[in-house]
């Protein structure tokens, strides 16, 4: 037996240039050329968004357009596989770049395809939903769903460029806008008391709110890029509930908007935090007032017409990635604007969801 050690390979992940501003989309082709040195690029877009914005964008990607099924339907291996086949048919080379356009689902699916194509080519994200502007387009997570749960097959593949233009929100449905507010409420309750205070009065300057959230996420991703130290895991505040409910509902082919499920997850996390003395009664009331102010689901039946009993949810919690040595790892608020990863018994957590 002989043993060798290969040195750790150089980090291939790219740094991310983030450009935020009204009308930033009008500079898309220029920004892509600048960032990727004139490399050929393709646009992988949510089909619905592409239809709405094609004329306005007026871009001519050298490698063409690759429309994806709108929304969550894009996040399957079948869609990623057909994208990869298209990439090879068209001759998308190692030097090329994939620009994704759409909500979190399009970014997750096309990002994964880019990470797999020829073992990985560069990407840029152009988020068009509020949720993807403040969260999904940043930090490099891409994944597809399995029958056993959400986001269970994926990788980290950092975009080299993210172009955030709030003008895209003009065509976003109201329910999807509220879904984005679910993730924004997560940043407020889990990470920023000043953001929580300002959201109590309403959204205010939306572009400024987006920028604040991007700043919070960027700091966390810089501190813990691959979710190894526990810092980045705090971004999962509200998400253990959300992923369990989304996966449970998917079995009945019901689509639960991700950010609304996160909104309910925040209520569950706040209730458990109250029980554990992590939130005072006043803080608990204030967190609920913020969630009410932005019309996030107050009860489980606001989110799912026929809510599941706790026993039906437990197996979906068990399938979540956030499990270490059999204990469910969850994030709970510690006061307003702070949060912590902790462990909890899965059936107690399921009961807290069912009681919500
Ligand atoms: N990678 C990450 O770090 C990360 C973080 C959070 C969420 N996610 C994932 O993101 C997904 C949710 O993202 P989402 O909320 O953007 O949903 P989505 O991508 O499913 O989009 C929701 C709907 O809005 C439409 N849409 C998007 N932009 C539009 C626009 N400008 N005008 C009109 N319609 C528009 C889409 O066609 C779709 O029907 C989930 O799959 C979630 O798991 C990923």
């Amino acid at each position: 037996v002989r043993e060798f050690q290969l040195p750790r390979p150089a980090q291939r992940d790219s740094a991310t240039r983030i450009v935020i501003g009204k009308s930033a989309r009008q500079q898309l082709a220029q920004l892509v050329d600048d960032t990727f040195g004139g490399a050929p690029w393709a646009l992988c877009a949510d089909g619905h968004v592409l239809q709405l914005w094609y004329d306005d964008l007026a871009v001519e990607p050298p490698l063409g357009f690759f429309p994806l099924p709108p929304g969550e339907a894009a996040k399957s291996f079948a869609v990623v596989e057909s994208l990869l086949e298209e990439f090879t048919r068209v001759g998308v080379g190692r030097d090329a770049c994939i620009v994704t356009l759409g909500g979190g689902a399009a970014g997750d699916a096309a990002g994964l395809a880019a990470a797999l194509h020829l073992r990985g080519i560069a990407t840029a994200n152009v988020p068009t939903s509020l949720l993807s502007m403040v969260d999904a387009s940043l930090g490099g997570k891409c994944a597809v769903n399995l029958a056993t749960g959400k986001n269970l097959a994926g990788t980290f593949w950092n975009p080299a460029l993210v172009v955030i233009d709030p003008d895209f929100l003009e065509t976003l449905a109201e329910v999807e806008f509220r879904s984005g507010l679910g993730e924004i409420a997560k940043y407020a309750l889990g990470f920023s008391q000043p953001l929580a205070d300002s959201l109590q009065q309403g959204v205010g300057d939306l572009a400024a709110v987006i920028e604040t959230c991007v700043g919070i996420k960027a700091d966390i991703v810089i501190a813990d890029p691959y979710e190894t130290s526990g810092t980045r895991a705090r971004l999962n505040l509200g998400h253990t509930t959300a992923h369990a409910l989304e996966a449970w509902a998917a079995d009945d082919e019901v689509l639960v908007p991700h950010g609304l499920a996160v909104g309910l997850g925040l209520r569950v996390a706040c209730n458990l935090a109250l029980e554990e003395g992590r939130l005072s009664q006043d803080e608990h009331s204030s967190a609920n007032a913020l969630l009410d102010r932005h019309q996030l689901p107050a009860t489980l039946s606001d989110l799912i017409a026929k809510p599941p009993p706790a026993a039906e949810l437990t197996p979906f919690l068990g399938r979540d990635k956030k499990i270490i040595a059999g204990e469910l790892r969850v994030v709970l608020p510690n006061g307003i604007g702070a949060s912590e990863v902790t462990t909890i018994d899965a059936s107690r957590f399921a009961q807290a969801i069912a009681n919500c």
Side-chain angles (χ1 to χ4, degrees):
V1 175
R2 295 211 298 148
E3 189 175 318
F4 296 91
Q5 189 150 19
L6 291 178
R8 193 184 169 87
Q11 182 54 261
R12 291 189 56 204
D13 241 352
S14 59
T16 306
R17 174 184 183 193
I18 303 169
V19 179
I20 311 183
K22 280 177 77 64
S23 307
R25 70 189 184 288
Q26 289 164 358
Q27 297 163 39
L28 179 60
Q30 191 60 51
L31 287 167
V32 170
D33 279 348
D34 288 353
T35 309
F36 301 100
W41 55 283
L43 191 71
C44 289
D46 177 306
H48 174 59
V49 176
L50 186 59
Q51 210 172 24
L52 290 169
W53 287 89
Y54 178 84
D55 289 339
D56 174 276
L57 277 172
V59 288
E60 287 178 30
L63 296 168
F65 293 92
F66 296 81
L68 296 164
E72 198 68 21
K75 288 181 58 169
S76 78
F77 268 126
V79 169
V80 169
E81 187 176 6
S82 61
L83 256 186
L84 292 171
E85 284 166 359
E86 282 301 308
F87 289 170
T88 37
R89 221 166 266 140
V90 171
V92 175
R94 280 225 167 86
D95 61 334
C97 162
I98 298 300
V99 179
T100 79
L101 175 83
D108 277 12
L112 184 60
L116 294 173
H117 181 61
L118 307 175
R119 298 191 184 82
I121 63 170
T123 60
N125 287 337
V126 184
T128 63
S129 68
L130 182 57
L131 186 143
S132 57
M133 289 180 191
V134 297
D135 192 349
S137 62
L138 308 150
K141 281 190 181 180
C142 16
V144 291
N145 303 325
L146 301 181
T148 41
K150 281 264 302 174
N151 296 334
L152 291 180
T155 188
F156 288 95
W157 194 248
N158 261 315
L161 171 69
V162 179
V163 180
I164 301 176
D165 183 342
D167 287 351
F168 281 117
L169 303 176
E170 283 164 19
T171 55
L172 191 69
E174 188 269 343
V175 65
E176 297 299 342
F177 190 84
R178 268 194 295 128
S179 180
L181 286 169
E183 292 283 5
I184 291 173
K186 168 192 82 177
Y187 288 116
L189 296 179
F191 301 88
S192 169
Q193 168 120 43
L195 180 60
D197 290 345
S198 88
L199 287 178
Q200 293 285 7
Q201 317 304 319
V203 174
D205 179 349
L206 181 59
V209 170
I210 293 171
E211 212 173 313
T212 301
C213 295
V214 167
I216 294 170
K217 177 140 186 187
D219 284 346
I220 290 170
V221 169
I222 290 165
D224 181 17
Y226 302 108
E227 205 167 313
T228 44
S229 76
T231 304
R232 184 163 179 175
R234 284 171 57 218
L235 287 171
N236 289 320
L237 179 62
H239 281 65
T240 306
T241 298
H243 288 158
L245 291 173
E246 288 173 274
W248 177 85
D251 271 8
D252 283 346
E253 295 185 8
V254 175
L255 193 67
V256 176
H258 178 69
L260 296 188
V262 170
L264 189 86
L266 293 173
R267 305 255 187 197
V268 171
C270 287
N271 291 346
L272 286 164
L274 178 68
E275 278 176 34
E276 297 199 350
R278 293 168 181 273
L279 284 184
S280 67
Q281 190 66 57
D282 278 357
E283 289 167 335
H284 183 261
S285 305
S286 147
N288 276 320
L290 189 155
L291 298 169
D292 291 345
R293 180 83 171 79
H294 298 284
Q295 294 172 294
L296 291 163
T299 65
L300 184 50
S301 50
D302 284 347
L303 187 70
I304 295 175
K306 282 190 201 150
E312 267 184 46
L313 282 175
T314 313
F316 289 97
L317 291 169
R319 289 172 195 169
D320 198 279
K321 294 159 292 180
K322 292 173 275 296
I323 286 200
I324 287 182
E327 282 269 62
L328 189 58
R329 217 156 54 101
V330 299
V331 188
L332 296 182
N334 267 351
I336 302 281
S339 45
E340 188 185 25
V341 178
T342 182
T343 54
I344 196 166
D345 177 69
S347 56
R348 178 175 166 217
F349 197 85
Q351 195 58 54
I353 301 175
N355 291 346
C356 193

